[in-house]
Amino acid sequence: MPAIQLAGGIPYYLPRSGLDTLVSTLSEEGYTVLGPRVMDGVISFQPLTSAADLPRGVRDEQGGGSYRLVDGDPELCFQYVVGPDGPKRYTLPPVLQLFSVRPEPDYYAMEHGPPSPPKLAFLGIRPCEVAALAVQDRVFAARETGGFRCEADSYYQQTRDSALVIAVNCTHPGSSCFCASMGTGPVARQGYDVALTELRGGFVVQCGSPRGTTLFERLPVREPSSAELELAELRLEQAAARMGRRLEAEGLPEALERAVEHPHWDEVAKRCLGCGNCTMVCPTCFCSTVSDATELTSKVTTRTRDWESCYTHQFSYTTAGPVRHSIRARHRHWVTHKLSGFVAQFGTSGCVGCGRCITWCPAAIDITEEAAAIRGDAQWAAAATAARKEVAA
Amino acid sequence: MPRTGAFTADGKPKVAVYKFSSCDGCQLAILNLEDQLLDLVGAIEVAYFVEARRRELPPPYAIGLVEGSVSTPEEEERIHKIRRDCDFLVTIGACATSGGIQALRNWADVEEFTRYVYAYPEYIKALDTATPIAAHVFVDFELRGCPVNRFQILELVAATLAGRKPAIPTYSLCIECKRRGVSCRLVSAGKPCLGPVTQAGCGALCPAYNRACYGCFGPMELPNVDSLGERFIGLGYSPAEITRMLRSFNGYVEPFKQASDRYAQRD
């Protein structure tokens, strides 16, 4: 593997003390700053008021169906992997009231129109999450495809147009991670305004857009030393070599298309809870349900969009009943869509290798293990199964 | 078909609320609607609700809400008359829907209990089992929980009045936890959380207070109890402990009942 090289224009160096200035500058410019902070035993993606909210000195240990926070290096703020939440919670909110209407004698009057998102700054998202945003852009942003023009999801589009992406390259991948094999990390290659690489005293900064450059030129940055640049590249190279898992994507969409009746699905269905956790934490899963609710007396009707999951029985309910009756069918659908259907539909894999579906599955189902089993790669499948059992024990 | 007598002269549906063997908590959930209570009594006619109103209007009723399980010979008779009196019969809460905590007697000797508990056990007339309402009569809709979520009662009434299907989810509690951004009690704290097999509807109440779900809303659609049980065993819980987790408020409803019987045998 060639040594990892930092991309982008002329790099800067931001001492850690500059983080506070970064957060306050963003707030002054009207951004709601979202970033990692410790909340109820996990690193959550939440509004920040200052750099003191960042998870300094906290590390996470992840594995199949397991997540724990432990003490880490007190000089580092970004030594965790990823938490259950990411930008999806804000670009595609879990519950969004689209509008409400009130009946008038011969028409419906708009009570509340569609909401407007705040101006967001995503601070500290990982390269895998930057890649996930690019996948969601293909789903929700306006585009031309095969002669059809897809309309944008207006809330999503507004969020993305105003959002500032300040990524932090990953120097601490976890045992659930496989971004290196998906080509999405541990270094952000595109889709960011600024990408930081954390060292003990501060950050090597690369600007990926004029907005990012303008912002960081106002901060207390200096030119990085060659030792700092070298160290940053070394840290990222080490990270790429420390991926806990691997997914071989070559030929996988075709293998999955052929595997509709593969016996492996029966095996996984015995373990799958059908609870939907994997889809909720997946940064590219986009399914939602739209429902209208009436109030008892005011006659106002509100239309709401909620996160939904292809794992729920009622999600595919039609006149004749649910389309996918068994857990086997629903689980197969998710994996096949994620790793194969996405490619045909959106021209990209739906998986960015963040490993969240593995960590947050209460039954420790591992998408890399399944992909290997479906591809018929016995050696990888066995290695992944052994790794899972080791974590469970 | 609704009967004309089930509505008042000004077109409001007559609603009855009944109590069987229960703690009254679900009836109190209705009274706890505070902000919406006046709207509710404005939209319906409270025709029979002993806990809330002295006046009684005669049947038939458009909607009957039943709290509690059938655990006495008298209740066994009464539920049939109630079914005839109500056009749309809804059970509210774990007792009415699954038998409730008192259904634990179904695995034990009731006669022995009465000898220990009561000075004059001969006065006690109890059935050997406590059973859900649906074991006796046809039930049109079930609302889960111990107690019910009062907003689900409101939704049920609003949907029935509007002639639409009530928006009551049947998926796992995990969906609600993740929507709310509540950290996972099972994955991030190693607690034996029944959320992955329990029906949503409470709004992730317990997990939001750092407590694992104990399944008071009963089994979700097609739960995989065995897989979750294996995970609990991996966390160090014994089959006997898993049996007790499953046999709480909804122990006597399938598939918690079957699963608890299997873990009891493994003990």
Side-chain angles (χ1 to χ4, degrees), chain A residues 214-254:
Chain A
T214 317
L215 171 70
F216 270 72
E217 278 174 347
R218 294 169 51 198
L219 299 178
V221 289
R222 60 166 167 81
E223 215 174 286
S225 69
S226 61
E228 284 161 348
L229 282 176
E230 199 177 317
L231 186 59
E233 292 186 353
L234 179 68
R235 289 271 177 271
L236 295 169
E237 202 178 314
Q238 288 170 335
R242 275 210 317 269
M243 292 287 143
R245 284 172 162 80
R246 177 180 166 80
L247 190 142
E248 181 58 61
E250 182 72 33
L252 188 58
E254 297 76 21

Side-chain angles (χ1 to χ4, degrees), chain A residues 39-42 64-68 84-85 89 94-95 269-277 280-281 289 292-297 306-309 311-314 317 325 327 330 359-363 392, chain B residues 36 39-40 42-43 154-155 157-159 161-162 164-165 168-172 174-175 177-190 196-197 208 210 220-225 227-228 231 234-235:
Chain A
M39 206 164 268
D40 291 333
V42 302
S66 168
Y67 177 103
R68 292 291 184 281
D85 276 323
R89 178 165 294 276
V95 177
K270 286 180 199 158
R271 293 167 53 215
C272 178
L273 294 157
C275 61
N277 272 309
M280 297 282 119
V281 296
T289 189
D292 294 344
T294 48
E295 281 176 26
L296 206 52
T297 49
D306 296 341
W307 280 359
E308 248 281 13
S309 170
Y311 278 84
T312 74
H313 206 227
Q314 66 182 33
Y317 194 91
H325 254 297
I327 286 184
R330 281 178 260 148
T359 296
W360 298 97
C361 173
Chain B
Q36 295 85 5
D39 284 351
L40 183 67
L154 202 63
E155 165 62 14
V157 174
L161 293 183
R164 64 177 170 84
K165 188 181 163 192
I168 304 294
T170 56
Y171 45 66
S172 73
C174 301
I175 303 271
C177 269
K178 288 292 183 287
R179 279 188 192 149
R180 256 188 92 167
V182 172
S183 69
C184 183
R185 296 291 87 207
L186 179 55
V187 170
S188 62
V197 295
N210 289 336
M220 65 183 258
E221 51 180 32
L222 305 179
N224 189 345
V225 186
S227 175
L228 189 65
R231 179 70 206 263
L235 289 173

Side-chain angles (χ1 to χ4, degrees), chain B residues 25-253:
Chain B
C26 292
Q27 296 182 71
L28 289 176
I30 302 175
L31 298 175
N32 280 345
L33 273 165
E34 292 171 5
D35 293 345
Q36 295 85 5
L37 198 58
L38 289 176
D39 284 351
L40 183 67
V41 296
I44 61 167
E45 181 65 51
V46 180
Y48 178 89
F49 189 177
V50 177
E51 182 143 336
R53 191 171 201 182
R54 190 173 298 155
R55 194 199 63 179
E56 287 176 25
L57 296 179
Y61 307 121
I63 303 173
L65 304 176
V66 184
E67 176 200 85
S69 63
V70 174
S71 72
T72 67
E74 181 264 335
E75 287 174 339
E76 211 175 10
E77 293 292 318
R78 187 173 164 235
I79 190 60
H80 289 280
K81 178 178 180 327
I82 287 171
R83 176 68 268 193
R84 288 194 297 275
D85 286 348
C86 298
D87 291 334
F88 193 69
L89 192 70
V90 182
T91 56
I92 55 169
C95 297
T97 305
S98 74
I101 200 91
Q102 59 272 29
L104 283 172
R105 73 159 74 155
N106 303 358
W107 286 280
D109 183 353
V110 174
E111 200 253 311
E112 191 188 350
F113 283 170
T114 51
R115 263 191 287 121
Y116 278 111
V117 174
Y118 299 101
Y120 299 97
E122 58 273 23
Y123 291 127
I124 302 299
K125 288 192 175 51
L127 297 171
D128 285 343
T129 56
T131 42
I133 300 298
H136 301 265
V137 295
F138 179 80
V139 170
D140 294 285
F141 205 85
E142 293 180 332
L143 289 182
R144 308 283 194 79
C146 182
V148 280
N149 178 340
R150 60 189 192 272
F151 298 109
Q152 286 202 335
I153 291 189
L154 202 63
E155 165 62 14
L156 176 97
V157 174
T160 310
L161 293 183
R164 64 177 170 84
K165 188 181 163 192
I168 304 294
T170 56
Y171 45 66
S172 73
L173 176 64
C174 301
I175 303 271
E176 282 191 329
C177 269
K178 288 292 183 287
R179 279 188 192 149
R180 256 188 92 167
V182 172
S183 69
C184 183
R185 296 291 87 207
L186 179 55
V187 170
S188 62
K191 295 277 163 40
C193 181
L194 286 175
V197 295
T198 298
Q199 180 166 303
C202 62
L205 196 57
C206 292
Y209 289 94
N210 289 336
R211 197 207 186 282
C213 169
Y214 53 83
C216 82
F217 266 64
M220 65 183 258
E221 51 180 32
L222 305 179
N224 189 345
V225 186
D226 286 346
S227 175
L228 189 65
E230 284 313 302
R231 179 70 206 263
F232 288 177
I233 284 179
L235 289 173
Y237 292 90
S238 68
E241 285 170 309
I242 296 169
T243 307
R244 283 198 290 277
M245 287 175 208
L246 292 169
R247 286 183 191 168
S248 61
F249 304 89
N250 292 283
Y252 204 63
V253 73

Side-chain angles (χ1 to χ4, degrees), chain A residues 42-65:
Chain A
V42 302
I43 289 176
S44 190
F45 194 65
Q46 298 285 338
L48 304 181
T49 50
S50 80
D53 292 336
L54 292 167
R56 189 168 163 181
V58 180
R59 212 157 51 73
D60 54 9
E61 282 180 351
Q62 303 195 23

